[in-house]
Amino acid sequence: MAVTYKNSSPNIPGAPSPQKKNKVKRKETSKRQSMLNTNRMAPFKYDLNEILASSSMDASVASSFLASIVAKASRVSTRDAKEYAKTFVDSGALTKEEYDRICRLMDRYSKFR
């Protein structure tokens, strides 16, 4: 008689059925969004810093603004970064022209992912 191991053959009467294998869970795919291209981060920061240097924004505020724009545009979406920049236009820290330049810059350095 052949040696059988527990749960090795489902044909043995009275033997428990083998456990079902776990199904592969697929990750939910999110909608592709325009985000900052991380490979071109240094030129983006340089160009954005040039825009902020010519603006009337205070240097300490400009530094944190730049960091927030980079973080939002690279991790969330450029749309959220543009909305964040729009709040500075509403408060008077940026002009409409500077805001438009920043938006064009984000569009130029972004890709869908």
Side-chain angles (χ1 to χ4, degrees), residues 36 44-45 47-53 55-74 78 80-95 98-103 105-106:
L36 195 61
F44 174 76
K45 286 181 181 179
D47 291 341
L48 184 57
N49 204 17
E50 289 293 316
I51 294 171
L52 295 176
S55 72
S56 61
M57 188 181 286
D58 185 34
S60 62
V61 175
S63 175
S64 64
F65 175 77
L66 183 132
S68 296
I69 289 291
V70 168
K72 286 181 186 299
S74 62
T78 55
D80 288 346
K82 289 175 186 178
E83 289 173 7
Y84 176 73
K86 185 72 170 168
T87 62
F88 282 81
V89 173
D90 296 339
S91 68
L94 283 174
T95 65
E98 293 165 345
Y99 169 74
D100 291 338
R101 289 176 61 197
I102 291 171
C103 288
L105 188 69
M106 279 192 269

